[in-house]
Amino acid sequence: MEIEPTRVMVAVNESSLKGYPHASISSKKAFEWTLKKIVRSNTSGFKLLLLHVQVQDEDGFDDMDSIYASPDDFRQLRERNKAKGLHLLEFFVRKCHEIGVGCEAWIRKGDPTEVICHEVRRVRPDFLVVGSRGLGPFQKVFVGTVSEFCVKHAECPVIIIKRTAEESPQDPADD
Amino acid sequence: MEIEPTRVMVAVNESSLKGYPHASISSKKAFEWTLKKIVRSNTSGFKLLLLHVQVQDEDGFDDMDSIYASPDDFRQLRERNKAKGLHLLEFFVRKCHEIGVGCEAWIRKGDPTEVICHEVRRVRPDFLVVGSRGLGPFQKVFVGTVSEFCVKHAECPVIIIKRTAEESPQDPADD
């Protein structure tokens, strides 16, 4: 019997594609890779710690069709965003439950790089899995990469799982 | 039953400490971390691919006590180096055998960064584990880091396992 499972933090986020259902391509890939290549059949040996960081841009201010006329509108917006985040986590937690691997999932707001590194310090996972769009150096100038920052600054081992070319949408900055 | 095991390449090297027996601190740590945190009790689910790159500096030309008087001296030197490399691999293969995890081990000569990336392309592991001395930015200027190069250039996911401060020798450039 193994007493303490290996605690794997997986950073997950929402897709940037409109109409694309919930999880981003790269975070779904990172999650599925972890199950297939690391957890395998040893479901009692691992615990997944699913962290979703909601960035300020996703806070609805890029939702140009909305009109904010009262404080209540903002409250509704926050609730809608919270619901979106919960929906995302539910997708991953449900999958873990189906295959019988333990998990914990939670949401934090802020800059993904800072929040992920902060949460690593707080919950001390054995390692961190981060999905990546796998952009080239030219594309990275414009979009930055959360995964590279984590490799440098997170206080635990980090493994980056890149999307393949076939998994990428038409605009590689989308995910 | 699981058909194909997860193939984990682990780059291992010799210690730079004189008199220190064989494996470097960081590569031993990377190996043990892989067994403890990834393989765990699921020994049939994983196969370790142990790659040792012998660098030219280890080729004996820094062995100032040696006198090379005939072509035979060089042959003996090469055989001694080969024996050292085999001894190193034997340490890791023996451990794998003891716990019952499948493995393959081999030696290549050359620049570790280039050779590791080349071997990743050739054998296509699911991911690569590399030990690191965990040096600060000031120390890195002088010694370079194989692990950072691999993260950027290896064509598979890479996980860097750093030594802790307690595991480091007096001179942190040693390993």
Side-chain angles (χ1 to χ4, degrees):
Chain A
M1 204 192 78
E2 297 172 311
I3 294 154
E4 268 196 77
T6 297
R7 296 162 72 243
V8 187
M9 188 185 273
V10 184
V12 297
N13 61 341
E14 285 187 54
S15 176
S16 63
L17 293 164
K18 285 204 190 290
Y20 190 84
H22 323 305
S24 70
I25 299 170
S26 65
S27 64
K28 218 154 90 177
K29 163 106 189 213
F31 174 75
E32 280 159 9
W33 185 92
T34 305
L35 292 177
K36 187 178 171 199
K37 297 297 185 182
I38 305 283
V39 174
R40 299 182 61 101
S41 65
N42 186 11
T43 47
S44 64
F46 293 87
K47 181 171 189 177
L48 299 195
L49 310 173
L50 300 153
L51 168 62
H52 170 43
V53 185
Q54 276 193 330
V55 297
Q56 298 305 325
D57 287 343
E58 285 173 18
D59 242 23
F61 292 99
D62 54 352
D63 184 357
M64 299 303 281
D65 298 331
S66 298
I67 295 166
Y68 307 98
S70 80
D72 261 11
D73 292 338
F74 289 93
R75 192 176 49 76
Q76 280 166 22
L77 171 67
R78 276 195 296 272
E79 273 160 18
R80 205 161 65 231
N81 279 317
K82 198 179 164 190
K84 269 169 71 183
L86 288 176
H87 199 89
L88 176 75
L89 290 185
E90 192 184 3
F91 169 82
F92 292 105
V93 170
R94 191 180 291 272
K95 285 235 177 180
C96 287
H97 196 80
E98 275 168 19
I99 63 163
V101 66
C103 72
E104 276 174 31
W106 69 103
I107 300 171
R108 286 284 178 274
K109 283 189 181 279
D111 176 48
T113 53
E114 279 171 32
V115 174
I116 291 170
C117 292
H118 182 269
E119 292 296 282
V120 162
R121 274 196 301 278
R122 194 176 65 82
V123 308
R124 301 249 154 243
D126 289 302
F127 63 101
L128 167 68
V129 184
V130 191
S132 160
R133 288 168 289 191
L135 301 178
F138 178 75
Q139 294 158 331
K140 273 192 239 174
V141 173
F142 301 102
V143 297
T145 68
V146 172
S147 54
E148 285 184 12
F149 185 94
C150 290
V151 164
K152 283 201 185 111
H153 297 102
E155 290 175 10
C156 76
V158 179
I159 191 157
I160 300 177
I161 306 302
K162 286 180 192 157
R163 296 183 315 199
T164 60
E166 304 87 66
E167 291 161 334
S168 301
Q170 207 165 7
D171 178 351
D174 269 330
D175 188 27
Chain B
M1 205 192 77
E2 296 171 313
I3 295 155
E4 267 195 78
T6 298
R7 296 162 73 243
V8 187
M9 187 184 273
V10 184
V12 296
N13 62 341
E14 284 186 55
S15 177
S16 63
L17 293 164
K18 283 202 191 293
Y20 189 85
H22 323 304
S24 70
I25 299 169
S26 65
S27 63
K28 220 154 90 177
K29 163 105 189 214
F31 175 75
E32 280 160 7
W33 185 92
T34 306
L35 293 177
K36 188 179 170 200
K37 297 297 187 182
I38 304 284
V39 175
R40 299 182 60 101
S41 64
N42 187 12
T43 48
S44 65
F46 294 87
K47 181 170 188 176
L48 299 196
L49 310 172
L50 299 153
L51 168 62
H52 170 43
V53 185
Q54 276 192 331
V55 297
Q56 298 305 324
D57 286 344
E58 285 173 18
D59 242 23
F61 292 99
D62 54 351
D63 184 357
M64 298 303 281
D65 298 330
S66 298
I67 295 166
Y68 307 97
S70 81
D72 262 11
D73 292 339
F74 289 93
R75 191 177 49 77
Q76 280 166 21
L77 171 68
R78 276 195 295 273
E79 273 160 17
R80 206 162 63 232
N81 279 318
K82 199 180 164 191
K84 268 170 70 185
L86 288 176
H87 198 90
L88 176 75
L89 290 185
E90 194 185 2
F91 168 83
F92 292 106
V93 170
R94 192 180 291 272
K95 286 234 177 178
C96 287
H97 197 78
E98 276 168 20
I99 62 163
V101 66
C103 72
E104 276 174 31
W106 69 103
I107 300 171
R108 285 284 179 274
K109 283 189 180 279
D111 176 48
T113 53
E114 279 170 33
V115 174
I116 291 170
C117 291
H118 181 269
E119 292 296 282
V120 163
R121 273 196 300 278
R122 194 177 65 83
V123 308
R124 301 249 154 242
D126 289 302
F127 63 101
L128 167 67
V129 184
V130 191
S132 160
R133 287 168 289 190
L135 300 179
F138 178 75
Q139 294 157 331
K140 272 192 240 172
V141 174
F142 301 102
V143 298
T145 68
V146 172
S147 55
E148 284 184 12
F149 186 93
C150 291
V151 163
K152 282 200 186 114
H153 297 102
E155 290 176 11
C156 75
V158 179
I159 191 157
I160 300 176
I161 306 301
K162 288 181 192 157
R163 297 183 314 200
T164 59
E166 303 88 65
E167 290 162 332
S168 301
Q170 207 164 8
D171 178 351
D174 269 331
D175 188 26

